[in-house]
């Protein structure tokens, strides 16, 4: 459904019925489709799960004329959140989506109860060529179904918008991402697939140290999109973390 300008998938009880809310935020050029396995798993326990397509991406492509940068995307997501989600939610993001939710959490702390960063990219100071090589290597470690889904999403978003989004994300990584992480005021779980070739163990440790209340977890037999290849394992980590236990 289209909700407040952003196409949104809803799983579990409708928003506003009193169930806890989880918002899943996708990565660069993608849609929320690759979060569906995790969304269904979380919703099975009575949680309201909302999965928007960010502005400029796939089914929310036409809601903006120009591709927004990371901060403008975070502001659009904050407006959507205020209109649709009652009270603070648990935000879960993957890849460049982690830059978006870090900006949102830093600028609008009242909207976030807890934060989960799955494969937080991009890494500051690393060239686009090295990060591209890492992403290409990761593709060989992901399920074939995910590659087909991602290719279809990239085509629908469009190569020009994808390239502009990448430029915005690289700039944010170099000038703002670490500052936003340091301003996150809520408990944060940083999750890395053990086979992730895009996000290094060293960067994961740094992210965990940057946020004031951070903890880390690793998912075995998973790569950058651990939530897609290992939804049960990731859901268990999220549920344990949401209940207040250590990740």
């Amino acid at each position: 459904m289209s909700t407040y300008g952003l196409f949104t998938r809803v799983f579990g009880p409708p928003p506003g019925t009193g169930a806890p809310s989880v918002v899943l935020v996708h990565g660069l050029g993608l849609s929320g489709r690759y979060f569906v396995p995790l969304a269904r798993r979380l919703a099975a326990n009575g949680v309201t799960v909302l999965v928007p397509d960010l502005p400029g991406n796939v089914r929310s492509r036409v809601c903006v004329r120009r591709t927004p940068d990371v901060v403008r995307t975070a502001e659009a997501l904050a407006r959507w959140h205020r209109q649709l989600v009652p009270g603070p939610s648990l935000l879960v993001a993957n890849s460049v989506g982690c830059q978006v939710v870090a900006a949102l959490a830093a600028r609008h702390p009242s909207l976030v109860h807890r934060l989960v960063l799955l494969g937080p990219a991009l890494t500051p100071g690393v060239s686009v060529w090295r990060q591209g090589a890492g992403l290409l290597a990761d593709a060989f470690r992901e399920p074939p179904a995910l590659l087909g889904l991602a290719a279809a999403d990239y085509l629908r978003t469009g190569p020009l918008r994808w390239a502009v989004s990448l430029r915005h994300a690289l700039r944010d990584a170099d000038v703002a991402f670490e500052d936003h992480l340091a301003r996150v005021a809520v408990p944060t779980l940083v999750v890395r697939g053990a086979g992730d070739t895009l996000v290094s163990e060293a960067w994961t440790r740094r992210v965990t140290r940057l946020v004031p209340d951070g903890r880390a977890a690793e998912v075995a037999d998973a790569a950058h999109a651990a939530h897609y290849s290992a939804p049960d394992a990731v859901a268990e980590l999220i549920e344990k973390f949401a209940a207040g236990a250590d990740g």
Side-chain angles (χ1 to χ4, degrees), residues 72-235:
R72 288 188 176 92
T73 300
E75 291 298 323
L77 188 61
R79 291 192 296 271
W80 167 91
H81 192 290
R82 287 196 175 95
Q83 293 168 323
L84 186 61
V85 185
S89 64
L90 190 157
L91 263 64
V92 180
N94 172 242
S95 198
V96 172
C98 296
Q99 293 177 235
V100 175
V101 299
L104 186 152
R107 297 165 70 90
H108 303 280
S110 64
L111 301 182
V112 187
H113 171 59
R114 285 176 181 254
L115 200 59
V116 178
L117 306 177
L118 305 171
L122 298 166
T123 306
V126 176
S127 73
V128 63
W129 305 111
R130 282 185 58 192
Q131 305 213 58
L135 183 60
L136 181 61
D138 185 82
F140 291 97
R141 303 185 178 201
E142 301 288 2
L146 175 61
L147 302 183
L149 185 155
D153 280 354
Y154 291 149
L155 286 172
R156 192 161 181 183
T157 294
L160 180 59
R161 288 209 174 201
W162 186 91
V164 173
S165 295
L166 176 60
R167 185 182 67 194
H168 288 323
L170 287 164
R171 176 171 174 77
D172 180 84
D174 286 341
V175 304
F177 191 16
E178 290 182 297
D179 177 64
H180 288 152
L181 288 168
R183 292 165 56 195
V184 170
V186 297
T188 301
L189 177 64
V190 186
V191 181
R192 178 181 179 270
D196 192 338
T197 57
L198 179 63
V199 177
S200 68
E201 292 183 62
W203 171 238
T204 302
R205 289 194 298 269
R206 177 158 177 76
V207 171
T208 307
R209 292 195 301 267
L210 278 169
V211 292
D213 185 4
R215 67 236 37 204
E218 189 169 87
V219 180
D221 301 319
H224 189 54
H227 58 281
Y228 186 89
S229 57
D232 289 338
V234 173

